[in-house]
Amino acid sequence: MSLKQAQANGQAVQVRKKKGTFARMLEQWDLQILLVPGILLVLLFSYVPMYGVIMGFQNFKLGDFPGFSEWAGFKHFQTMFADKYFGLAMRNTLVISALKMFIGFPIPILFAVMLNEMRIQPIKKSVQTISYLPHFISWVVTATLMFDLLSTDGGAVNEFLMWIGIIKQPIGFFSDGKYFWGLTLLTDIWKELGWNAIIFVAAITSISQDMYEAADIDGATRVQKMWHITIKSIKPTIILMFIFQVGGILNANFDQIMMLTKQMSNAMLKEYADVIDTFIYRLGVSQGRFSFAAAAGLFKSVINFALLLSANWIAGKFGESQLF
């Protein structure tokens, strides 16, 4: 490249840098148009509904124009905190979320690592495909399967446990609340294991094979390669997903709870099954107390957002990957 061409290229770069953001967007008008549908969807379904938050500070009634109801201040928040079921719902939400976070979260990671270690491709692909399928089964069908499998009247699980001599009489899994937390964890793992592992499988495929070959030359065992190469290479992905998990700690999967408790009609499970989402549904939506439901939903969202920011900040303090 001649000196004149280099100078011309340098001048062209400087001209592009001097152009403002709006000018560059005009030059890329065809690409910007592609963003319009996505932006409209985000505005319509994520930002416009935020106006409804104001209902939590008002006495909203059906027929009122949103935002023009009688002001109630923090009355609905005080009612929520004073409700005798609120503490119980908070306890159940935190326990179920903690089980899913500290037990349910690592399992897809281990599953993805084990898939990576499988060398017979047909078996690997079959296992991977089968593990994805439960995700596409609705919680209505999943709950029905659980009712049949765990039934005290000929249920496969009880029959098997009695056959091998572990129990002498059927266990009422859905008539004793102490089993419910374990059921939510196991059903969630069974249903979402393969789906949650997808992102970790994708992260593992980006690891250079040269690292494994170098480890083989150094005499590393398979377990050492799994720990020092596979898991440590996908560590940023694990941390980012964990931050998301922390940010949703007050989300205990409304659909799952409702279906496993038959729309909360199973009174024997209420003490262990009532979570924040079902609490809002029962005392807010079902009874037409929309302002109360809005206040409770806002409280949950604020706590989740605060936890997300805290987890992100802590990750940054320790020099790990952050969302922003």
Side-chain angles (χ1 to χ4, degrees), residues 223-270:
V223 174
Q224 288 174 327
K225 288 187 290 184
M226 289 167 60
W227 176 254
H228 293 288
I229 298 177
T230 307
I231 293 180
K232 289 195 174 181
S233 294
I234 65 172
K235 184 180 176 183
T237 303
I238 294 173
I239 292 173
L240 289 178
M241 297 306 296
F242 187 76
I243 291 173
F244 279 121
Q245 188 85 0
V246 172
I249 199 169
L250 292 188
N251 298 324
N253 198 333
F254 176 78
D255 293 339
Q256 178 189 24
I257 303 296
M258 288 292 285
M259 293 303 102
L260 290 178
T261 59
K262 297 182 178 180
Q263 292 78 47
M264 294 301 292
S265 63
N266 189 341
M268 292 178 286
L269 299 178
K270 185 177 179 180

Side-chain angles (χ1 to χ4, degrees), residues 192-209:
E192 304 297 340
L193 173 62
W195 186 258
N196 291 337
I198 290 177
I199 191 168
F200 301 113
V201 172
I204 290 172
T205 57
S206 66
I207 301 174
S208 174
Q209 293 301 310

Side-chain angles (χ1 to χ4, degrees), residues 13-25:
V13 170
Q14 289 179 353
V15 170
R16 285 197 296 268
K17 286 183 178 179
K18 288 180 180 179
K19 287 184 178 179
T21 302
F22 185 71
R24 292 198 301 272
M25 290 177 65

Side-chain angles (χ1 to χ4, degrees), residues 2 13 53 59 62 74 83 85 106 214 264:
S2 66
V13 170
V53 166
N59 289 322
L62 287 177
F74 290 94
D83 193 284
Y85 294 111
M264 294 301 292

Side-chain angles (χ1 to χ4, degrees), residues 3 24 37 72 87 99 102 108 156 179 267 284 308-309:
L3 179 60
R24 292 198 301 272
L99 288 172
F102 296 109
Y179 297 109
L308 176 67
L309 293 178

Side-chain angles (χ1 to χ4, degrees), residues 104-297:
F105 178 76
I107 291 178
I109 301 172
L110 297 176
F111 179 69
V113 173
M114 298 305 293
L115 275 178
N116 184 61
E117 293 299 314
M118 295 183 70
R119 296 293 177 257
I120 305 176
Q121 288 302 315
I123 297 179
K124 179 179 179 179
K125 290 181 179 179
S126 299
V127 171
Q128 204 168 357
T129 302
I130 292 170
S131 68
Y132 297 160
L133 294 179
H135 171 78
F136 300 99
I137 301 175
S138 71
W139 276 111
V140 177
V141 177
T142 301
T144 304
L145 288 173
M146 292 301 108
F147 295 148
D148 290 338
L149 289 173
L150 301 175
S151 172
T152 56
D153 185 17
V157 173
N158 275 313
E159 291 293 323
F160 176 74
L161 293 176
M162 288 191 293
W163 179 64
I164 62 177
I166 293 180
I167 59 175
K168 294 183 178 179
Q169 57 184 8
I171 298 174
F173 290 102
F174 289 98
S175 59
D176 192 339
K178 67 183 181 183
Y179 297 109
F180 187 77
W181 291 343
L183 286 175
T184 57
L185 175 64
L186 292 175
T187 52
D188 187 76
I189 291 173
W190 173 78
K191 193 172 185 298
E192 304 297 340
L193 173 62
W195 186 258
N196 291 337
I198 290 177
I199 191 168
F200 301 113
V201 172
I204 290 172
T205 57
S206 66
I207 301 174
S208 174
Q209 293 301 310
D210 294 341
M211 299 175 68
Y212 292 102
E213 293 172 4
D216 287 331
I217 295 172
D218 291 337
T221 64
R222 176 168 286 192
V223 174
Q224 288 174 327
K225 288 187 290 184
M226 289 167 60
W227 176 254
H228 293 288
I229 298 177
T230 307
I231 293 180
K232 289 195 174 181
S233 294
I234 65 172
K235 184 180 176 183
T237 303
I238 294 173
I239 292 173
L240 289 178
M241 297 306 296
F242 187 76
I243 291 173
F244 279 121
Q245 188 85 0
V246 172
I249 199 169
L250 292 188
N251 298 324
N253 198 333
F254 176 78
D255 293 339
Q256 178 189 24
I257 303 296
M258 288 292 285
M259 293 303 102
L260 290 178
T261 59
K262 297 182 178 180
Q263 292 78 47
M264 294 301 292
S265 63
N266 189 341
M268 292 178 286
L269 299 178
K270 185 177 179 180
E271 183 181 354
Y272 294 88
D274 195 20
V275 295
I276 294 295
D277 288 333
T278 57
F279 173 81
I280 295 172
Y281 175 76
R282 287 190 303 103
L283 300 183
V285 179
S286 295
Q287 298 180 12
R289 300 165 62 187
F290 301 110
S291 292
F292 178 86

